[in-house]
Amino acid sequence: MKMERPLTEHIHLDGTTRTLREYVKDGGYRSVQRLATMLGPKDVQRLVTESGLRGRGGGGFLTGTKWGFVPMGPSAPKPKYIVANGDEMEPGTFKDRVLMEGDPHGLVEGMILAGYALDAEVGYIFLRGEYHLSAQRLTRAIAEAYEEGYLGKPLPGTTFCFDLHLHASAGRYICGEETALINALEGKRAVPRAKPPFPQAVGLWGKPTVVQNVETLYNIPHIVNHGSDWYRRLSRTQDGGTKIYGISGRVTNPGWWELPLGTTAREVLERYAGGMSDGVRFRGLLPGGISTAFMTEEHLDLPMDFSSIPPEVGRLGTATMIVLDDHTCPVGFVLNLEKFFARESCGWCTPCREGLPWVARILTSFEEGRASKEDLALLDMHTKWLAPGHTFCGLAPGAMAPLQSALKYFRDDFERHISLRHCPWSKKPAQLRVVV
Amino acid sequence: MLSGTERQELEDAVTHYPDKRGAAIDALLIIQRRRGWISDETLLDIAQFLEITAEDLDSIATFYNLIFRKPVGRHVAFVCDSVSCWIKGSEQVQEQIKALYAADLGQTSPDGRLTVLPIACLGHCERAPAVMIDQDVYGEVMPEKVESIMEKYT
Ligand SMILES: Cc1cc2nc3c(=O)[nH]c(=O)nc-3n(C[C@H](O)[C@H](O)[C@H](O)COP(=O)(O)O)c2cc1C
Ligand code: SF4
């Protein structure tokens, strides 16, 4: 029987890491040994394309299609780069950490294969600065892979030689955006770059560069080992594979589970997370990090994948859900999100730099009982002013997704803040609260 | 002035990149690990090593949450203030830290033991609320647990 949960089946649930010896015993690095005899770079590319693998960083872009933009052949610029995006600063998201802490060699192997497929001879793992345990374990895994000759030497029977470096960042959300990440790696201020040119053609130090989410890369060894048909069958829908779903908020059993793509939010919430905590009721959830739109009761039976959620409802994002319950103020919830975005905006373009603090100030006025009908209209307007196409990168439009949907589903609650002149969830009457 | 060992660590980091400035963040983190924070003099030393201007390096240093351009206490408590932790009571945890150590966000306790800073989601949302002290992450930190967690950070 082949695995149903290829990414996490062997991860120790006690938090210890899987060692090199365990990894190899369970078939780890087998794909790399087969390259010479069985698979050329084109074969690996083809398998990934046929598998229907979509990027797990939130966008869901087809990985095979992305690889198709990389210049190949003897006239292609050299070196080419492959970068693992382990910035994972999207609030509510912790799936890449689970993988990197639990199974660091899986990322090394995924990167070797991606490098081989694209003839990219240098790799970087871009890791958020707060993930110290991941950093320790990856450092060790990279050193072991060098000792074993998977890195730094031509792979058995090929002329392909791959070098891999770990880059620990120092904490800034925008570094997760792939062009800002490239600036960060070059030692520049991490503001995004204009696209085009796309990084696949002109990326790190001007060379072709593919940036791929950590979870995306973990899938590749399994696709290479077991084939694209097997991979597609793991899913319940047309997008291939499994997905790490997570849940946080007031639920009985917050956590993560690797499940077939297309599992519904209701199943994750009720069957795996054990439903809502005692005494609280479900009001809505953000399906995958805070840059996604709220989903409510009526959406809970949608397959949670990259192609089944209608665009007018929202998108899957990182699939690590955050639940809003009836004991939590939706306006306060959204204020928390917008404060995060305002703080983490890189400041490069004016609508985002000025607009997000403005939104946060307006939401604060709701919480403090000072908001009027005009403020509600201003919030509505911001969701248009900061919509896709109006800002230099996706941070600001991402910030508007939860706001716009909250204004739609929880409008009554915003209005009650205006009419009551205080937050209905706050125990303190407005006039007694200290305004800072 | 960079010490010999500091210089050696920086030389090693630089080998990971095609040019020296690629190691800018590594360099700031390496030196901060040894000196606690990045003073103006330190910034200038690192910039000279990287062959970029101090202003250029400062535009990078000040961009990041984990590079300290001011002195910090012997330990730093990073209190996650993102939404999953906020739902589960991170504000109360921060209030408790303030009450115990007389340090509000952005401040250092009078005895120099602890600096308290807010931090974006630590990626431990399933065990909210989360606090990171130096490099150690604690989950399900209720206000009443703060004091015992802090015991080993003297
Ligand atoms: C503001 C912002 C933050 C992002 N943060 C991350 C991140 O932390 N991790 C990630 O993999 N992708 C992040 N992305 C998406 C990346 O730009 C990129 O699309 C992704 O790494 C591509 O990998 P994938 O195709 O494997 O998903 C972010 C995008 C934006 C606009
Ligand atoms: S949208 Fe925000 S984060 Fe993106 S470039 Fe503009 S200011 Fe920077």
Side-chain angles (χ1 to χ4, degrees), chain A residues 174 192 344-349 352-353 391-396:
Chain A
I174 194 59
E344 293 294 336
S345 160
C346 82
W348 182 250
C349 67
C352 170
R353 182 183 63 237
T391 60
F392 197 67
C393 88
L395 183 140

Side-chain angles (χ1 to χ4, degrees), chain A residues 317-356:
Chain A
T318 60
T320 35
M321 309 169 198
I322 308 163
V323 174
L324 170 69
D325 62 88
D326 65 343
H327 281 46
T328 301
C329 171
V331 179
F333 186 109
V334 176
L335 170 60
N336 178 285
L337 311 185
E338 300 306 330
K339 277 191 194 155
F340 168 89
F341 286 119
R343 190 171 72 192
E344 293 294 336
S345 160
C346 82
W348 182 250
C349 67
T350 315
C352 170
R353 182 183 63 237
E354 302 294 324
L356 291 175

Side-chain angles (χ1 to χ4, degrees), chain A residues 55-58 66 85 87-89 173-174 176-178 211-213 216 394-395:
Chain A
R56 307 297 199 233
K66 181 149 136 185
N85 189 345
D87 198 52
E88 194 159 74
M89 281 183 70
Y173 173 64
I174 194 59
E177 196 281 337
E178 60 182 6
V211 180
Q212 215 78 68
N213 172 254
T216 311
L395 183 140

